[in-house]
Amino acid sequence: MVSSPHEAMHRIFQEHPELFSRVSEVLGVGFAPLASFTVLPNDLTETQPLERRVDTLLRLDTEGDGSFLLAVEAQGRKDPDKPASWAYYASYLLAKYRMQPMLLVVCQDRSTAEWAARPVRFGPPQWPLLTLCPLVAGPHNMPLITDPAEVRKDLALATLSAITHAASPDIGAILKAMTRVLPDTPAELANPIIELIAQGLGKHPSAELWRKLVAVDLSFYKSPLSEELRAEGRAEGRAQGEARRAAEDVLAVLAERGVGVSEEARERITGCGDPETLSRWLRRAVTSPSADGIFTEE
């Protein structure tokens, strides 16, 4: 399973292109309602050996304002070279498709989002040739959706809320609200949402919380993530069982030899989860004159 937040931040717009209407509304930019959409190839490579790929590219057809192209870029950090690439994408798309381009940048931290939102002017200061003004969605302007009723109203926006607020103190409430709604959601819609959130949380501490919530609250779902969690749970259970039996063997040998075991030593033995350490203690228990002696390094 791919676990990159970068993938989730833009791929959600491939899965739910209509999400752009709600995001633009949240950002205070009005577009006519969508009538249709088309996912376009994201390869912007030229005939020369210079490869350029936008993360996600969509054609959006509105009910009243015509059609336009939406390029979605997931940005994980400040990159001084990126605005020039974005400007290139915009001019290339306009030249290739003869349609007006829009750029939406999705971020997970406020400083990167604020950097990406700054207008960038290209050309001499006396007469700028063009100005780049992307729309930016991030933790500074995406809603914190912690109410299950709000999640149920707009599952795609709630998913983006979880992804963009991966490092927020409120992420636990967001994820819990998701697990309240997903059990009542058809599996063909819920399973991709589960995976997108897992991708989006990446290596943030909230990723482990989501894994636990999926294992407990959403355990009936059949998805790569749930299967992975079940496999991990089985492996962890086997390891715990092996450690428990090894600890019992150490205590049994000491008892058979009539060696007294203090409460402190007993807790240390039963609390050890490392099979190698327990195996070493078991060998020492055969000859050690005291229980504490098995802990002494050779």
Side-chain angles (χ1 to χ4, degrees):
M1 181 189 68
V2 178
S3 59
S4 166
H6 182 279
E7 290 296 309
M9 283 193 285
H10 71 84
R11 193 164 65 83
I12 187 173
F13 290 90
Q14 295 179 25
E15 303 285 342
H16 302 274
E18 74 284 356
L19 174 61
F20 177 71
S21 295
R22 275 98 76 187
V23 172
S24 63
E25 183 181 345
V26 169
L27 299 178
V29 182
F31 286 92
L34 293 186
S36 64
F37 59 83
T38 307
V39 179
L40 300 176
N42 65 345
D43 190 349
L44 306 184
T45 306
E46 297 179 332
T47 54
Q48 299 295 325
L50 177 64
E51 187 174 297
R52 297 180 187 269
R53 292 181 186 272
V54 66
D55 287 336
T56 283
L57 180 61
L58 304 169
R59 169 180 170 151
L60 302 182
D61 305 307
T62 71
E63 294 178 0
D65 293 337
S67 304
F68 63 95
L69 299 174
L70 175 66
V72 184
E73 284 278 285
Q75 193 64 27
R77 58 181 176 80
K78 298 175 185 177
D79 183 351
D81 295 329
K82 210 63 177 177
S85 295
W86 291 338
Y88 173 88
Y89 297 162
S91 61
Y92 179 91
L93 292 171
L94 180 61
K96 179 176 180 178
Y97 292 98
R98 299 297 175 182
M99 296 177 64
Q100 293 302 322
M102 276 288 302
L103 173 64
L104 174 66
V105 181
V106 185
C107 306
Q108 284 185 305
D109 70 273
R110 187 185 184 101
S111 62
T112 300
E114 291 176 345
W115 163 82
R118 294 171 187 167
V120 179
R121 292 175 176 82
F122 298 90
Q126 303 90 328
W127 195 272
L129 176 63
L130 59 89
T131 303
L132 180 74
C133 294
L135 278 177
V136 177
H140 66 304
N141 57 15
M142 284 293 97
L144 284 163
I145 302 180
T146 59
D147 184 349
E150 293 300 312
V151 172
R152 192 169 281 107
K153 260 192 233 178
D154 199 332
L155 194 55
L157 185 62
T159 301
L160 186 64
S161 171
I163 292 170
T164 53
H165 289 285
S168 167
D170 298 298
I171 186 60
I174 296 173
L175 297 180
K176 191 64 181 175
M178 296 293 295
T179 61
R180 294 277 299 278
V181 173
L182 287 173
D184 303 324
T185 303
E188 61 271 17
L189 176 59
N191 284 350
I193 291 292
I194 293 171
E195 297 297 322
L196 276 169
I197 294 175
Q199 279 186 320
L201 299 180
K203 295 182 179 179
H204 289 282
S206 53
E208 184 59 28
L209 172 60
W210 180 241
R211 294 169 73 84
K212 290 178 180 176
L213 287 172
V214 170
V216 175
D217 296 348
L218 306 175
S219 57
F220 50 88
Y221 280 119
K222 299 294 183 184
S223 69
L225 177 61
S226 62
E227 291 304 314
E228 181 183 330
L229 285 167
R230 291 188 184 99
E232 288 180 359
R234 288 192 294 270
E236 184 178 350
R238 285 195 297 270
Q240 290 176 347
E242 290 173 3
R244 184 176 62 255
R245 287 190 293 274
E248 290 172 354
D249 289 343
V250 173
L251 293 173
V253 168
L254 292 173
E256 184 66 24
R257 294 182 55 234
V259 177
V261 180
S262 67
E263 191 60 34
E264 182 181 352
R266 184 178 297 275
E267 288 180 2
R268 184 173 177 181
I269 293 169
T270 57
C272 179
D274 180 23
E276 284 190 17
T277 299
L278 287 165
S279 177
R280 188 166 60 250
W281 290 350
L282 179 60
R283 291 193 300 271
R284 292 175 183 169
V286 175
T287 57
S288 177
S290 68
D292 290 339
I294 69 172
F295 307 133
T296 303
E297 292 296 331
E298 294 176 350

